[in-house]
């Protein structure tokens, strides 16, 4: 059973939480990030007029990907909200990108004007195919939003060129693959957009070739004159790029967190398109490891700053958590792909955890300040962590914007006889189902989720149709009430399949399904193997994970303890952080008194009463600098 | 009131804990470290025959200091245990060092054969005066043990040369000081050994000049053509070398932990010798900050690996603790100096904490394997930390050996009318007191301290004498019993001054003072401001801090919790780790069951009963590899 997402063009987000997010992204983030790619030289780089003696920076190896993601973002924006001025701006940029394509189809600003003679000589480090992949995704979004073929055609020519360069050694081609995966998923997308199977074949080659011996990156390094002692930090170096073993032998997610998850996303795509069950089995196994042993409560991925990498199983430190914004987004992408294969709500649970926490934390409420790293505890007074407008390596901002503006396509899926509601987002979707005679059916959700668990779903259709509405019951939800056209159902009698409540029958125009997901504040504890969280508790309400900030709770947050008996009171505060549900509770905090002139002693610390206020983690750091923040609180 | 330590030549350690440590140091560590300085080229470096085209390594800027500390160690060894063969080996090495001295008195292998034209052009980074200081300390120990003047005279000539180079700018000399302090304390020692006050004056200049504007290191850097953006990482760079402000303005210990404490040791020396009360006040203030806010329970100093540096107040993480062996030794040296000034047991308490924990942990029980970094929690399975025979930058091994073999001089002090017993170490000391008519008095301690708190002190003298025996009551000790010649005293009637129990009166030959320090196992908690230790407890018995090791307690030590009600049972185990008191207790540990397929949930972890066994922290990592270790245990 494979599900099909609803195309973005059939989706509108019309109100509630995500409408305001999308508005800010359109109104603030898109112009702000354009300004950054412009002033840093990323746009002018496509003029290919940089010279070694130029005063400007040479085009950097990542640059094309940042611009590509801006194009992709704008494409998604235009699909759901046409805007002639923005489209003109987009087209001009696309024209300049396309004009930079070389006669043979190659397109990369760095290798065309800086390292002219180094094309495809260092796949390991230089992100060449990574940039190509992002350009392809951009071209597809540009085509889908504007109907214009120029960029898509150019990228097809680029893919044709890549196909002439890369392939099995016995064909005389380079048997390589990119140190930073991305091209794989992009080629599968391109194959679907163009109908050309050879792009899927090339993606399949990249996926299957990875980790085969002899190791391509090492052969390539020797050709460049590198010595094994330089390029081999033992096995680690191979694992950093997920090239240590073939993907189908993997059971654990290792190495650079974004690379690993872009790779797994591409692997799911290839497995799905080629019916490769063995590969799919590995993708599921690695997912299980990633989601059950290496995932922060915020959905953040990648524990270690060194190598921007996954740690060992259950190695999930809080203050030093890396949890790159892009890695949480990659987790969301990967989960979405497996969700379509298995129709299991566990993937949507994981996606939602990332979405409302470790992804959204990556951008300020104002839409123009970003985080690269998303720790679960911070002391900004001591440290360097603050949201900023841009980064030297600025993959995250435009990754966030493209996700927010393409969110519509992740909300629903259809099978032949059912529509799946994965996420609760106010808006409407147009679907058609084979078993419902192919007529257009519109679903409208009305909800202020995640602040409340009430969701009204209205169905519109020309004539009665029999199909199933499958509504995800989130993993955090222990009790749900269901009404249909005002009649309360006995929820216990409604079948649940893989986490989806199955409402099947004959539906008529105007039918209304009311769902109320019970959403109390939960005390969440971590698996006892997670060293960093022992004796600690986190607060979660619905999908939203909370944190304590210094601005609400004073300094020295680690001195706060939350008694097991404390009542946790959620209150919607319209004036706070753009309108959020905050949580208050009675707690205690360490009394620093009585320890003058003592550093260690056989005495117990005293506690005094206090009240605490928790706010959604994704809103942290939006109220000025020098803030302490913690997600995990000591439990008493 | 200034106390005077008893010279090493009047001390013998004759049994108990430290006798075996000294035997191993003599029998194993001295030959092992000699082998290392030999095979690494440090000894041959003094031949000055290295050429740029040589196959051997060029003499490194630190090398001379490592050899110097070996010489110093052997000097201390010979003072208390003559050994003709070892003395011959020492003299040969000393001859080769002295032969390397240049006609002008300068002596540094690196700058004589490698960077020939860079003498004193980079005081900031290149450890030139640091090496000079260690050579001076070595020369003094060589003289005191052998009576030979050659090395001491050479070092006096070197100091004369330094005096001609360094001084106030208005004299036309370089107004600089060393990036790595050490020369200051060495020059004060040399002044005392030679009777030449000008060496004290030079030390005083270095101490007073440090941190004055314009900043010498920055002027010097500009002369070398460095740009401010390269040499100024804001204020941090100045603080790293304690050159940010004049010492007498300091109130906080900052920067590189060894540098900071060698500097403060030298500053106390200068303040004492010059009667500079203002400087001494600063030394005490910085000590209070260091000992009350930046000191590990093991006596370890320096929380951060980056810069081998102190962190903020109460920043004392356990697993990432740097706590360099040399830094704990430096703390010991510094404390010893202040102890002589103030006669306050708080310094001896701190010294003893370092000595039995964070210093001794730096060497294996076998005497030939060393730790540079001494964390308070470890997972050797995941990490790199293991004792090893030597380091590229190998300051620690010979710092340990010189301390162990000079320990005798730290045990007692005398004032005009009292003898202070700072530490409990089996052995004998010959003292004389002004008020006791100058006759030789011998004190003999008999004790198996730190394993038991019983100490018998026998006094021998030709004729009755009136003086005070001041016995330190350790800060950890809450109850003490005292007997004199078999008669139990009412301890509550004995006066205690600054932590020393004052036993004064007329003493006769053969008098025996029996002290029994009550030594139960203590549950120690940290100041509530120490984030890393909240909710945790450490076990300590006497001065010895304990740890749990995987070999005794299985993996996943962080899952262990110690109930407040558990009885803590100490048992001397003669076959364990060379004979130690181990501690056993009933405890609980997290049950990992019930969490299959769950990473975060509103459920509590279960505990099951277990027993734990704790061993002295200083013995950790002596039973094979791949060990988890923790000092701080969760408390229940």
């Amino acid at each position: 059973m494979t599900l099909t997402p609803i195309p973005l063009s059939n989706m509108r987000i019309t109100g509630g939480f995500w409408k305001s997010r999308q508005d800010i992204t359109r109104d603030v983030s898109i112009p702000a990030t354009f300004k950054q790619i412009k002033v840093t030289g990323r746009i002018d780089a496509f003029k290919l007029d940089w010279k070694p003696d130029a005063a400007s920076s040479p085009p950097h190896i990542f640059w094309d990907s940042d611009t590509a993601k801006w194009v992709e973002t704008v494409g998604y924006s235009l699909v759901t909200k046409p805007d002639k001025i923005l489209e003109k701006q987009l087209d001009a940029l696309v024209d300049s990108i396309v004009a930079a394509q070389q006669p043979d189809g190659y397109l990369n600003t760095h290798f065309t004007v800086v390292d002219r003679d180094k094309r495809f000589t260092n796949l390991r480090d230089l992100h060449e195919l990574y940039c190509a992949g992002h350009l392809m995704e951009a071209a597809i979004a540009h085509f889908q939003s504007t109907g214009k073929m120029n960029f898509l055609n150019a990228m097809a020519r680029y893919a044709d060129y890549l196909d002439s360069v890369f392939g099995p050694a016995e064909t005389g081609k380079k048997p390589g693959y990119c140190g930073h995966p991305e091209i794989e998923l992009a080629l599968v997308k391109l194959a679907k957009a163009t109908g050309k199977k050879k792009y899927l074949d090339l993606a399949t080659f990249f996926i299957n070739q990875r980790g085969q011996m002899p190791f391509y990156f090492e052969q390539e390094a020797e050709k460049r004159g590198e010595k094994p002692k330089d390029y081999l930090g033992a096995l680690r170096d191979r694992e950093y790029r997920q090239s240590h073993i073939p993907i189908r032998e993997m059971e654990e997610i290792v190495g650079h967190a974004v690379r690993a998850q872009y790779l797994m996303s591409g692997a799911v795509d290839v497995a799905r398109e080629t019916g490769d069950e063995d590969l799919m089995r590995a993708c599921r196994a690695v997912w299980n490891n990633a989601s059950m042993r290496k995932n922060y409560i915020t959905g953040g991925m990648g524990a270690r700053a060194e190598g921007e990498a996954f740690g060992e199983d259950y190695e999930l430190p809080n203050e030093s958590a890396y949890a790159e914004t892009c890695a949480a987004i990659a987790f969301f992408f990967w989960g979405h792909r497996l969700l379509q294969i298995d129709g299991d709500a566990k993937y949507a649970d994981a996606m939602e955890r990332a979405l409302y926490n470790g992804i959204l934390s990556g951008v300020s409420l104002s839409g123009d300040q970003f985080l690269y790293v998303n720790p679960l505890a911070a002391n900004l007074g001591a440290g360097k962590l603050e949201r900023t407008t841009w980064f030297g390596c600025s993959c995250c901002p435009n990754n966030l914007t493209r996700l927010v503006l393409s969110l519509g396509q992740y909300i629903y899926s259809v099978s032949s006889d059912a529509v799946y509601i994965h996420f609760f987002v106010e808006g409407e979707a147009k679907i058609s189902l084979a078993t419902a005679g192919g007529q257009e059916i519109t679903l409208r959700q009305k909800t202020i989720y995640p602040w409340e668990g009430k969701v009204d779903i209205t169905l519109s259709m020309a004539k009665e149709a029999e199909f199933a509405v499958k509504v995800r019951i989130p993993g955090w939800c222990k009790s749900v009430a269901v009404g249909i056209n005002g009649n309360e159902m006995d929820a216990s009698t409604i079948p649940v399949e893989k986490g989806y409540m199955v409402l099947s029958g004959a539906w008529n125009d105007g039918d209304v399904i009311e769902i109320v997901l019970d959403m109390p504040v939960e005390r969440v504890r971590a698996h006892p193997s997670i060293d960093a969280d022992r004796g600690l508790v986190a607060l979660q309400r619905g999908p939203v994970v909370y944190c304590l900030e210094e601005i609400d709770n004073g300094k020295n947050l680690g001195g706060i303890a939350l008694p097991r008996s404390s009542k946790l009171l959620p209150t919607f505060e319209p004036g706070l952080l753009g309108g959020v549900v905050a949580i208050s509770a009675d707690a205690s905090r360490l009394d620093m008194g009585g320890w003058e002139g003592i550093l260690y002693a056989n005495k117990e610390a005293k506690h005094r009463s206090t009240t605490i206020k928790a706010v959604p983690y994704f809103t942290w750091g939006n109220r000025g600098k020098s803030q302490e923040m913690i997600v995990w609180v000591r439990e008493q």
Side-chain angles (χ1 to χ4, degrees), chain A:
Chain A
M1 174 200 66
T2 301
L3 309 187
T4 307
I6 299 184
L8 193 54
S9 54
N10 288 3
M11 281 294 313
R12 293 292 178 278
I13 291 174
T14 54
F17 184 88
W18 286 102
K19 169 73 159 58
S20 66
R21 291 274 130 204
Q22 289 200 332
D23 287 348
I24 288 165
T25 307
R26 281 196 179 92
D27 298 343
V28 178
S29 309
I30 286 180
T33 53
F34 183 80
K35 183 180 162 195
Q36 292 298 332
I37 57 172
K38 176 75 184 160
V39 301
T40 55
R42 283 163 165 83
I43 290 181
D44 287 344
F46 289 104
K47 293 182 185 165
L48 303 180
D49 58 0
W50 181 85
K51 295 276 183 320
D53 58 354
S56 59
S57 300
H60 188 277
I61 55 166
F62 305 133
W63 276 11
D64 296 353
S65 69
D66 298 327
T67 306
K69 278 189 283 191
W70 189 87
V71 169
E72 188 182 348
T73 299
V74 173
Y76 296 144
S77 179
L78 295 176
V79 170
T80 51
K81 189 181 179 195
D83 177 333
K84 283 294 161 201
I85 295 171
L86 187 58
E87 185 173 339
K88 210 163 174 177
Q89 184 185 8
L90 176 68
D91 284 345
L93 175 54
V94 161
D95 288 348
S96 81
I97 295 172
V98 171
Q101 188 168 34
Q102 300 301 295
D104 57 5
Y106 185 77
L107 207 174
N108 183 301
T109 57
H110 177 84
F111 289 93
T112 304
V113 300
V114 186
D115 285 326
R116 291 163 177 269
D117 56 347
K118 295 196 175 147
R119 190 190 287 189
F120 299 134
T121 58
N122 185 350
L123 296 182
R124 186 187 69 189
D125 300 329
L126 300 182
H127 295 66
E128 225 169 336
L129 292 170
Y130 166 82
C131 285
H134 276 303
L135 288 168
M136 290 172 191
E137 288 201 273
I140 295 163
H142 176 249
F143 165 67
Q144 289 174 344
S145 60
T146 65
K148 290 163 196 148
M149 299 284 291
N150 59 332
F151 196 8
L152 184 65
N153 287 341
M155 288 303 101
R157 285 206 295 132
Y158 194 177
D160 291 338
Y161 171 69
L162 295 180
D163 184 53
S164 74
V165 173
F166 294 100
E170 56 271 26
T171 63
K173 299 179 183 179
K174 286 179 189 284
Y177 39 88
C178 191
H180 196 314
E182 155 67 23
I183 187 70
E184 301 83 356
L185 68 86
L187 284 168
V188 177
K189 245 191 208 185
L190 189 66
K192 295 188 121 183
T194 60
K196 290 192 183 171
K197 182 170 171 297
K198 73 172 175 177
Y199 305 146
L200 171 63
D201 294 343
L202 182 56
T204 306
F205 168 75
F206 285 141
I207 290 291
N208 286 331
Q209 177 64 6
R210 199 170 195 93
Q212 300 293 347
M213 296 180 70
F215 292 112
Y216 183 79
F217 295 144
E218 295 164 24
Q219 294 186 302
E220 185 194 49
E222 292 194 347
K223 274 191 197 152
R224 290 193 305 272
E226 289 180 24
K227 298 271 172 284
K229 74 175 171 59
D230 297 322
Y231 65 74
L232 273 188
L235 204 63
R236 280 286 146 202
D237 195 63
R238 293 177 185 161
E239 292 187 355
Y240 172 73
R241 295 175 185 78
Q242 300 79 41
S243 59
H244 52 304
I245 49 172
I247 298 170
R248 62 192 67 240
E249 294 174 19
M250 292 182 186
E251 297 190 338
E252 184 182 356
I253 193 122
V254 297
H256 188 277
V258 178
R259 297 176 198 232
Q261 297 183 98
Y262 279 13
L263 178 66
M264 296 315 300
S265 298
V268 175
D269 288 344
V270 165
R272 181 190 67 228
E273 297 299 319
T274 61
D276 186 336
E277 267 309 312
D278 187 44
L279 181 60
M280 193 66 86
R281 182 204 50 71
C283 293
R284 287 192 189 96
V286 178
W287 170 273
N288 288 340
N289 172 260
S291 63
M292 283 295 135
R293 299 189 172 200
K294 301 194 181 184
N295 185 213
Y296 282 100
I297 191 173
T298 57
M301 298 296 271
R304 297 180 184 171
E306 189 180 352
E308 305 188 312
F310 287 105
E312 304 290 324
D313 285 354
Y314 304 116
E315 179 188 333
L316 294 162
N318 291 309
E319 191 163 351
S320 65
Y322 198 69
E324 182 183 337
T325 304
C326 282
I329 293 172
F331 186 55
F332 186 92
F333 290 158
W334 178 20
H336 177 63
R337 284 163 164 85
L338 286 169
L339 177 60
Q340 309 313 309
I341 307 298
D342 291 347
D344 191 323
K346 74 178 183 181
Y347 300 110
D349 283 347
M351 293 167 71
E352 191 179 54
R353 181 185 288 289
L355 184 63
Y356 283 101
N357 302 292
I359 292 175
L360 267 191
S361 59
V363 58
S364 66
L365 297 175
S366 62
D368 57 352
Q369 302 277 321
F370 301 92
L371 280 181
Y372 194 104
V373 171
N374 296 274
L376 281 77
N379 190 336
L380 294 186
K384 314 127 206 170
L385 197 84
E386 277 162 25
R387 286 194 182 80
T388 182
T389 50
W390 198 245
F391 307 95
C393 168
S394 208
C395 45
C396 299
N398 290 343
N399 219 352
L400 257 165
T401 56
R402 70 171 176 153
L403 172 60
V404 170
L405 288 174
S406 63
L407 189 70
Q409 66 186 336
Y410 297 101
I411 300 171
Y412 300 90
S413 298
V414 292
S415 65
S416 61
D417 61 353
V419 56
Y420 285 73
I421 303 179
H422 303 307
F423 301 113
F424 306 107
V425 176
E426 183 154 311
E428 60 178 61
K430 295 186 194 311
I431 65 165
S432 70
L433 298 169
T435 58
Q439 65 168 320
E440 185 177 273
I441 301 169
T442 303
L443 285 89
R444 285 187 186 80
Q445 283 191 48
K446 194 163 166 50
T447 182
I448 59 163
Y449 192 94
W451 305 128
E452 294 302 337
K454 185 169 188 315
V455 185
D456 292 349
I457 304 153
T458 306
L459 305 177
S460 306
M461 63 199 91
K463 54 177 195 285
E464 182 182 279
E466 193 143 343
F467 61 93
V469 178
K470 297 190 174 181
V471 182
R472 172 173 151 261
I473 307 302
W476 53 260
C477 180
K478 296 193 179 66
S479 166
V480 60
V482 184
I484 294 185
N485 297 329
N487 302 314
E488 184 163 353
M489 315 277 293
D490 178 355
S492 69
T493 66
I494 303 173
V496 176
E497 285 175 8
K498 294 184 178 177
Y500 287 81
M501 191 170 60
V502 183
L503 301 166
S504 48
W507 297 100
N508 283 287
D509 190 50
D511 280 349
V512 179
I513 303 167
E514 292 168 88
I515 309 284
V516 182
L517 303 163
D518 189 29
M519 197 184 267
V521 183
E522 302 271 4
R523 281 180 166 76
V524 181
R525 287 130 194 140
H527 190 291
S529 293
I530 302 179
D531 206 50
D533 300 335
R534 288 200 191 109
L536 306 181
V537 63
L539 301 182
Q540 184 173 340
R541 180 171 176 273
V544 179
V545 173
Y546 281 74
C547 69
L548 302 187
E549 283 198 281
E550 181 185 328
I551 195 169
D552 300 311
N553 301 285
K555 282 193 180 294
N556 210 353
L557 298 176
I560 290 174
L562 183 64
R564 285 174 168 75
S565 57
S566 274
K567 201 169 171 233
L568 305 168
L569 184 71
T571 310
F572 184 77
E573 296 194 30
L576 179 66
L577 293 159
V580 298
V581 171
I583 299 169
S584 58
D586 289 333
S588 70
R589 63 193 310 156
L590 279 171
D591 191 333
M592 301 294 160
W595 284 79
E596 296 74 21
I598 300 170
L599 194 56
Y600 303 104
N602 186 347
K603 61 182 277 175
E604 299 237 20
K606 284 184 195 146
H607 285 76
R608 57 188 166 78
S609 294
T610 190
T611 56
I612 58 168
K613 178 175 182 173
V615 296
Y617 169 76
F618 77 82
T619 68
W620 86 277
N622 272 283
R623 291 176 287 172
K625 294 186 182 186
S626 298
Q627 289 275 312
E628 281 188 48
M629 182 276 291
I630 55 172
V631 169
W632 291 97
V633 185
R634 267 193 316 134
E635 190 162 30
Q636 221 176 16

